[in-house]
Amino acid sequence: MEEKKACIFLIDDNIVNLNTGKSALQHKYTVITIPSGEKLFFALEKVRPDLILLDVDMPGMSGYDVMRGLKLNTDTADIPVIFLTGKNEVKDELHGFTLGAVDYITKPFSPPLLLKRVELHLVLKAREEELREFSGNLLKMVNERTNDISILQNAIIMWAAEVIEFRDEETGQHVERVQKYLEILLGAMAESSIYADEVVSWDIDAFLKSALLHDVGKIKIRDDVLLKTSRLSDEELVNMKLHSLYGKSLLESLQDKVPNQTFLEYAKVLAHRHHERWDGTGYPDRLKGEEIPLQARMMAIADVYDALISERPYKRAYSHEEAMDIIAEGRGTQFDPILTDLFIELGPLIKDISRAQGREY
């Protein structure tokens, strides 16, 4: 199949120049001659050239005027333009390049030189288009790869959460419900500008992912403690509380292998600190008030609420209303008072989430 010829527009008000230029180029290219800048724009409505040879000094629209018009239209702005002119002063050439010309040929031009200049710029144009296509394909590949990695990451996080729940069957879909509560709480915080200066710097998606791993330390708790169907003894309770330290240790180990993962940093904070209390009586470090990271203060409320509405061998499941009353009683002692008030305001939405995730009252 014969290769399609590149199309060249040659614009000049001088018929001799049009004929000379066409004669020099037509054996290799499709050359369309146009006698004025005004008529060029009519021709562009039907044909899109690969390159334009444009006379500067023409009656009506000058070459500079035409160039400005081409650059204003996104469909024509990238067509390479070579100016043809009898002017040979540096300031004239500089003005042409400033407007966006790719080259400047003085008249009367040499046909062989014109041909070589046209060949050069068409090769450059082809390479630019190849590079643009390659960059587009590369970006597509990167986006696809990033999406694949994100899907894999989410699957691994969910798998880890399910492993935790598999060992502690009574928790059911606890981690997923807690994640939903946090999402609702975050939305309300944004609407109310609560702790806005801190939350604005968060990667929200990473934070919500990390919530699924807040109990990861339970993997290292002894079966006789984790699976016990009655209340824990004091010694067993001490062992159970170690899950916050185990979680921190496990996630730090993972960070060493997979550095610079924001969600792992959030996960470590949640695993380590979600049992600290606002009044400083929590564990593992008895942090108090805003010494406790905001992420962990949020998790503390969501985690306790879901534990309250969940049945255990040693306790019944509390109703939503009973759980909210208990959360309210913990305001300023166990929980951040500002977050507590907001969580209680969100009561109907929280109840809907718990129902949608399998809890019934």
Side-chain angles (χ1 to χ4, degrees), residues 9 24 52 54-55 57 72 80 99-100 113 116 127 158 175 205 207 210 222 239 248 296 316 318 325 329 335:
F9 276 8
I52 294 175
L54 179 60
D55 184 26
D57 295 312
L72 287 173
L99 291 175
L113 177 61
K116 287 298 181 183
R127 295 295 177 266
M158 184 59 69
V175 291
D205 289 340
F207 170 60
S210 73
R222 302 191 328 248
N239 183 264
K248 174 177 178 286
R316 67 178 176 84
Y318 291 96
D325 287 342
E329 290 173 7
F335 308 120

Side-chain angles (χ1 to χ4, degrees), residues 230-242:
S230 58
R231 288 193 176 276
L232 301 178
S233 67
D234 290 344
E235 184 272 331
E236 290 166 338
L237 187 58
V238 169
N239 183 264
M240 177 63 83
K241 287 182 178 180
L242 289 175

Side-chain angles (χ1 to χ4, degrees), residues 35-321:
S36 70
E38 291 85 354
K39 291 185 178 180
L40 164 65
F41 289 100
F42 287 109
L44 286 170
E45 293 177 3
K46 299 179 180 179
V47 179
R48 192 56 40 87
D50 296 290
L51 184 142
I52 294 175
L53 296 169
L54 179 60
D55 184 26
V56 171
D57 295 312
M58 295 184 293
M61 291 186 75
S62 71
Y64 296 147
D65 295 330
V66 170
M67 189 69 177
R68 294 187 187 96
L70 292 171
K71 292 300 181 183
L72 287 173
N73 187 332
T74 55
D75 291 334
T76 59
D78 292 333
I79 300 174
V81 175
I82 298 176
F83 274 133
L84 306 174
T85 180
K87 298 181 178 181
N88 57 9
E89 293 189 17
V90 172
K91 64 181 181 65
D92 295 316
E93 291 190 29
L94 180 60
H95 184 53
F97 286 127
T98 301
L99 291 175
V102 297
D103 207 345
Y104 213 92
I105 299 177
T106 56
K107 297 188 291 186
F109 50 76
S110 161
L113 177 61
L114 177 66
L115 179 60
K116 287 298 181 183
R117 291 282 187 89
V118 168
E119 287 177 350
L120 171 64
H121 288 290
L122 287 176
V123 167
L124 290 175
K125 179 175 181 287
R127 295 295 177 266
E128 288 177 0
E129 290 175 350
E130 288 174 4
L131 181 59
R132 191 179 300 116
E133 182 178 1
F134 174 78
S135 298
N137 290 337
L138 182 61
L139 179 61
K140 181 181 178 182
M141 290 170 61
V142 169
N143 288 337
E144 289 175 351
R145 182 62 175 159
T146 300
N147 185 57
D148 289 344
I149 292 172
S150 179
I151 291 171
L152 177 61
Q153 184 186 76
N154 291 340
I156 291 173
I157 294 171
M158 184 59 69
W159 172 83
E162 289 174 354
V163 168
I164 299 165
E165 291 190 343
F166 182 77
R167 287 202 66 220
D168 185 11
E169 293 180 359
E170 298 300 330
T171 61
Q173 295 175 310
H174 168 67
V175 291
E176 293 179 63
R177 289 194 299 272
V178 167
Q179 184 187 55
K180 293 289 186 181
Y181 304 149
L182 290 176
E183 186 174 3
I184 292 295
L185 186 58
L186 269 172
M189 289 167 65
E191 289 182 5
S192 306
S193 297
I194 292 174
Y195 295 121
D197 291 344
E198 187 168 352
V199 175
V200 71
S201 65
W202 291 6
D203 182 330
I204 300 302
D205 289 340
F207 170 60
L208 292 174
K209 284 181 186 178
S210 73
L212 296 171
L213 298 179
H214 73 278
D215 272 338
V216 68
K218 286 185 176 180
I219 289 174
K220 297 186 67 172
I221 297 300
R222 302 191 328 248
D223 284 350
D224 63 304
V225 173
L226 187 65
L227 304 179
K228 188 174 181 180
T229 58
S230 58
R231 288 193 176 276
L232 301 178
S233 67
D234 290 344
E235 184 272 331
E236 290 166 338
L237 187 58
V238 169
N239 183 264
M240 177 63 83
K241 287 182 178 180
L242 289 175
H243 81 274
S244 62
L245 295 175
Y246 291 152
K248 174 177 178 286
S249 177
L250 286 168
L251 289 162
E252 283 179 338
S253 176
L254 187 55
Q255 281 182 308
D256 290 340
K257 298 177 179 65
V258 190
N260 303 318
Q261 291 292 323
T262 304
F263 87 93
L264 288 179
E265 186 60 33
Y266 289 140
K268 183 175 70 175
V269 169
L270 294 180
H272 190 202
R273 300 301 186 190
H274 71 283
H275 285 293
E276 299 285 1
R277 291 173 54 107
W278 184 259
D279 62 7
T281 63
Y283 66 87
D285 294 316
R286 301 177 70 86
L287 298 184
K288 184 176 183 179
E290 293 192 4
E291 294 175 351
I292 307 167
L294 178 57
Q295 297 102 320
R297 302 199 311 265
M298 295 168 63
M299 174 59 76
I301 298 175
D303 189 46
V304 169
Y305 168 81
D306 200 73
L308 289 169
I309 65 169
S310 300
E311 185 177 356
R312 297 286 188 271
Y314 52 85
K315 79 168 189 69
R316 67 178 176 84
Y318 291 96
S319 69
H320 166 77
E321 289 71 25

